[in-house]
Amino acid sequence: MVRNSVKSCTDDYKRREESGVARSNRAAGGEEPYGGGLTFPVEGVLVRAPREFPAPDAHGVERLRELDACLAVIERAFPGVQSSLRLCRLSCELLEGAWRERAESTDVAPDDDSCGCTLCAHLPKPLIRSLDDYDWRRSDGRPLPVKTWPFRKELDSVLTGGWVWTRKMNDSDRDLGLRFRHEDDILVLHEYKRVEAAIQVSDTARVVEQRLAEDRTTNGARALISGLYAAYKRSVDEHWLRQHVAGTVELPPTTPLDHSTYSLLQLMDCLFWHVSPEAELWQEEHLASLVLCRVLNDMTDVRADAVTGEASNFWLSSMSTHEKALYGACVVALIKYGCMPEAHGLLWNTWLMDTTIVWEGLTGRHALWFDGITNGLPPRDGCPLCGIEPNACTGLLTDGVTLRIGRTPMVDGLGERAARLSARCRSEHPEVWRLFDQELAVFEALHGEWHGDVGTVWVILRRTYIAAVLASLAGGEGARDVQVDSGNVGADLFHALHRPPTWKEDTALLAYMFGCAHPHFLWNAQSFASATVGGDWLDG
């Protein structure tokens, strides 16, 4: 179904990507590429057929029967969303089969870490973690109490704020009116439906029902389907984890999702949550960004999922370590591409990756600054991760992607505002200044001269990226404090990233510093140590 629906990447998009990469390479000058210009091929998701899973058990059959009844109600009320309905049904059935196979497996295959390629050689050694290290991830804690819209009466959690922020940035190029606020509330209700002390569930449900009656849109129907899927996924997770806690089954930390099934499951999930215009829904450049945004989420949230038993997690899947490293490198390449002006304006959802990485770095809900901090800084010169070239990764589902490790671009002199950021760092944290100044020069080579808000961005970077570098120089000490404070600065300043004229400039720089800048805190978060599965009642 997905293969038949995908539309090939547009010529305009390809030309923009080629133009941006060529401009970046010119900025690299005569510097010798790392490793002679290494390339890494990434196979297309749809090249191999996804594997089969066992049929759902009796509990799963009953859950699917109830789901079918709900989907039928939506179909009667909102004709014309058959593809979304079918995707929801297929996704839930896939989840049921994957959970059942995992629960019934007796042999746990060892992690395949035999690859010695350049990327795999730079994967970090995972820190030993326990469930207690991840109390920040619970839905009854942050970020729900943190308000991004101080005077709004609706559900104004950081979760909703992230969607509104992304949509507002996309709409500034081409306003399509996507999406009504009550449609976001549908998704948030299912995310936090058990936290009634923090949100007014009944009041919000009444507003949602009233607005759906007034605005009978396709997007409203898709939001309902998204909410159904979110609720279904949580119910399946909780069912099997209860069985595990009761001793009825013993869940291994790994899951049976292979390359194709992992990618398709994440794609179907994202097609519900991230609204795009109907005409662009199946464009392969759009689909690739959806899959890689989920990989990004898994990379930063990974060891929490390793101990809490998440089924659809990137690092728990049965993909080889090399395939996982390739996907992680694709994320870095796409973040770099998203920092370039050539990436924006043609498709509606082009700010999705940038806003996702910045949102994760500022909510305190993800492990970016916590698990990503290591003891000491690796040398920047010759770092292959710094040399990953920007890539839109448009062929991720179809023909595949070729990643290149080449020269690191750098401008000869910083623009006026970037120079002011550099001067502040030199004055307040001279031990970090040289590295920070170099990363600003690389960013401006990708993005062009930066014209952002120096005051807001400096406060954020001082309490996130620079604080994390300082923690690394201190042997990793204080890493958890950086992670907690990133949530605090996000609560204080997240709203500032919604304000023109500097919002896109600020978002692009923060996306680069959070996702691509040396010492690559994002990449450092990309591994886990297998452990026994545990979990809390709320997040699974």
Side-chain angles (χ1 to χ4, degrees), residues 167-176 344-348 350-351 503-504:
R167 215 163 32 256
K168 188 176 178 183
M169 294 187 75
N170 289 327
D171 279 347
S172 67
D173 291 333
R174 188 154 49 98
D175 188 357
L176 300 176
H344 303 290
L346 191 60
L347 291 179
W348 190 78
T350 53
W351 282 99
W503 54 339
K504 294 183 177 181

Side-chain angles (χ1 to χ4, degrees), residues 13 270 283-295 334 349-350 352-353 392-394 396-397:
Y13 200 85
C270 277
Q283 287 291 144
E284 68 174 337
E285 51 268 48
H286 174 232
L287 300 180
S289 69
L290 295 185
V291 173
L292 290 176
C293 278
R294 285 308 302 261
V295 175
L334 183 56
N349 228 346
T350 53
L352 182 59
M353 178 60 88
C393 299
T394 51
L396 188 70
L397 269 74

Side-chain angles (χ1 to χ4, degrees), residues 39-299:
T39 61
F40 291 92
V42 184
E43 185 181 64
V45 170
L46 302 178
V47 171
R48 286 181 282 173
R51 50 171 307 210
E52 293 291 331
F53 286 94
D57 64 3
H59 294 282
V61 169
E62 178 59 23
R63 280 190 294 267
L64 286 171
R65 188 194 64 77
E66 294 174 358
L67 174 71
D68 288 337
C70 294
L71 293 176
V73 171
I74 295 177
E75 185 172 18
R76 286 195 299 270
F78 297 91
V81 291
Q82 283 79 8
S83 294
S84 294
L85 294 170
R86 189 176 176 202
L87 279 172
C88 182
R89 182 59 164 76
L90 289 170
S91 302
C92 294
E93 193 168 348
L94 175 56
L95 275 174
E96 291 282 3
W99 269 112
R100 184 175 185 185
E101 181 168 325
R102 183 186 186 193
E104 294 177 354
S105 64
T106 54
D107 299 323
V108 179
D111 292 331
D112 174 15
D113 57 0
S114 58
C115 180
C117 77
T118 301
L119 290 177
C120 292
H122 279 78
L123 287 172
K125 183 179 180 181
L127 303 171
I128 302 301
R129 298 294 193 197
S130 69
L131 191 61
D132 292 341
D133 291 309
Y134 297 100
D135 61 342
W136 52 269
R137 186 176 178 267
R138 291 176 61 102
S139 287
D140 55 352
R142 301 185 68 140
L144 189 64
V146 177
K147 306 299 185 181
T148 59
W149 320 100
F151 307 106
R152 193 182 290 274
K153 295 181 180 179
E154 299 146 290
L155 261 63
D156 48 359
S157 69
V158 168
L159 185 67
T160 303
W163 288 323
V164 173
W165 174 34
T166 302
R167 215 163 32 256
K168 188 176 178 183
M169 294 187 75
N170 289 327
D171 279 347
S172 67
D173 291 333
R174 188 154 49 98
D175 188 357
L176 300 176
L178 301 177
R179 174 168 70 205
F180 292 119
R181 187 56 183 256
H182 69 277
E183 295 167 357
D184 288 327
D185 289 346
I186 294 170
L187 309 183
V188 180
L189 269 171
H190 284 284
E191 181 77 8
Y192 295 113
K193 64 180 179 178
R194 290 171 175 79
V195 199
E196 295 197 25
I199 60 175
Q200 296 297 322
V201 173
S202 58
D203 290 347
T204 304
R206 189 160 49 249
V207 170
V208 166
E209 185 175 0
Q210 179 183 344
R211 293 298 303 278
L212 280 173
E214 296 170 355
D215 301 309
R216 300 174 64 81
T217 63
T218 300
N219 287 321
R222 286 171 59 185
L224 284 174
I225 297 169
S226 302
L228 269 182
Y229 175 75
Y232 193 96
K233 184 177 185 296
R234 189 182 294 281
S235 70
V236 178
D237 290 354
E238 291 178 347
H239 167 76
W240 287 108
L241 286 164
R242 278 195 299 267
Q243 301 277 74
H244 174 76
V245 171
T248 308
V249 300
E250 185 174 351
L251 295 173
T254 55
T255 73
L257 295 174
D258 61 1
H259 183 210
S260 297
T261 51
Y262 166 80
S263 301
L264 283 175
L265 183 61
Q266 301 295 40
L267 171 64
M268 289 190 272
D269 189 352
C270 277
L271 279 172
F272 303 142
W273 291 79
H274 297 292
V275 172
S276 63
E278 290 294 320
E280 298 177 9
L281 187 63
W282 291 100
Q283 287 291 144
E284 68 174 337
E285 51 268 48
H286 174 232
L287 300 180
S289 69
L290 295 185
V291 173
L292 290 176
C293 278
R294 285 308 302 261
V295 175
L296 168 64
N297 184 281
D298 283 352
M299 285 170 67

